[in-house]
């Protein structure tokens, strides 16, 4: 096994892998498939929001100290205070591994809604770049005084 996630397997076969070992693996996977487990409820994820303006160079935004802002408020609703802020980290839901936010990018209410939906969904995925303070998911954003010190892109 090279890598496994909640819904993928990556197998590494080399020159030393024999036909009998591959056959045993195939048989085991087929046995698992034939167990007829109840089908999992499909969770439809919303479409990824469009890429927003890149306000600062990713390098400049990433190396700022920033501050952690919670994704949800006290009532478990998305934190609308994130709208209009500038992301300082790369936020990547995996799978599919496509960045939702990159450092220096403007955060919009559509992006916050999408991120909140992913974090609340029952679909198992890793969320790279989201920092958890206890059980509270947070995003690192630029502080207003840090933005003043950076050169803004057009």
């Amino acid at each position: 096994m090279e890598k496994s996630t909640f819904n993928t397997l990556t197998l590494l076969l080399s020159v030393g892998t024999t036909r009998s070992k591959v056959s045993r693996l195939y048989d085991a996977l087929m046995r698992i498939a034939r167990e007829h487990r109840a089908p999992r409820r499909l969770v439809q994820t919303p479409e990824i929001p469009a890429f927003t303006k890149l306000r600062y160079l990713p390098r400049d935004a990433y190396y700022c100290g920033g501050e952690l802002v919670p994704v949800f408020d006290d009532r478990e609703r998305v934190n609308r205070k994130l709208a209009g802020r500038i992301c300082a980290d790369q936020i990547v839901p995996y799978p599919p591994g496509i960045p939702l936010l990159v450092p220096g990018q403007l955060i919009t209410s559509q992006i916050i809604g999408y991120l909140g939906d992913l974090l609340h969904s029952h679909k198992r995925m890793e969320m790279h770049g989201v920092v958890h303070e206890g059980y509270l998911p947070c995003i690192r954003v630029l502080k207003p005084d840090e933005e003043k010190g950076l050169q803004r892109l057009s």
Side-chain angles (χ1 to χ4, degrees):
M1 262 326 179
E2 179 67 16
K3 180 180 180 186
S4 65
T5 64
F6 296 108
N7 54 359
T8 60
L9 291 174
T10 304
L11 305 172
L12 181 62
L13 304 176
S14 69
V15 194
T17 306
T18 63
R19 180 184 276 275
S20 65
K21 286 183 181 181
V22 173
S23 180
R24 257 186 29 216
L25 175 63
Y26 176 80
D27 291 341
L29 292 173
M30 290 305 292
R31 249 180 302 164
I32 291 169
R34 282 189 217 109
E35 284 182 6
H36 299 293
R37 292 184 183 182
R40 289 179 26 194
R41 183 174 63 128
L42 295 177
V43 176
Q44 199 169 21
T45 56
E47 191 172 321
I48 295 176
F51 189 81
T52 59
K53 286 205 177 265
L54 195 59
R55 291 281 170 87
Y56 304 101
L57 287 174
R59 174 196 65 228
D60 294 343
Y62 179 79
Y63 285 113
C64 284
E67 64 180 329
L68 290 177
V69 177
V71 176
F72 301 110
D73 62 16
D74 295 338
R75 296 182 180 180
E76 280 298 308
R77 294 179 300 194
V78 291
N79 185 356
R80 296 291 171 196
K81 292 178 183 175
L82 277 168
R85 301 294 300 267
I86 305 299
C87 191
D89 284 322
Q90 184 164 278
I91 309 299
V92 184
Y94 182 82
I98 300 167
L100 176 61
L101 287 165
V102 297
Q105 185 179 348
L106 175 67
I107 302 171
T108 63
S109 57
Q110 291 84 12
I111 290 173
I112 298 166
Y114 179 78
L115 181 61
D117 289 345
L118 288 179
L119 288 169
H120 273 145
S121 79
H122 298 288
K123 187 174 181 182
R124 297 288 217 158
M125 68 173 48
E126 299 170 29
M127 192 65 71
H128 300 266
V130 173
V131 178
H132 285 81
E133 286 205 331
Y135 292 104
L136 192 61
C138 300
I139 294 179
R140 190 170 68 98
V141 296
L142 296 180
K143 295 177 187 174
D145 61 323
E146 290 174 328
E147 288 188 52
K148 291 177 187 172
L150 297 178
Q151 183 177 353
R152 193 172 179 147
L153 299 175
S154 55

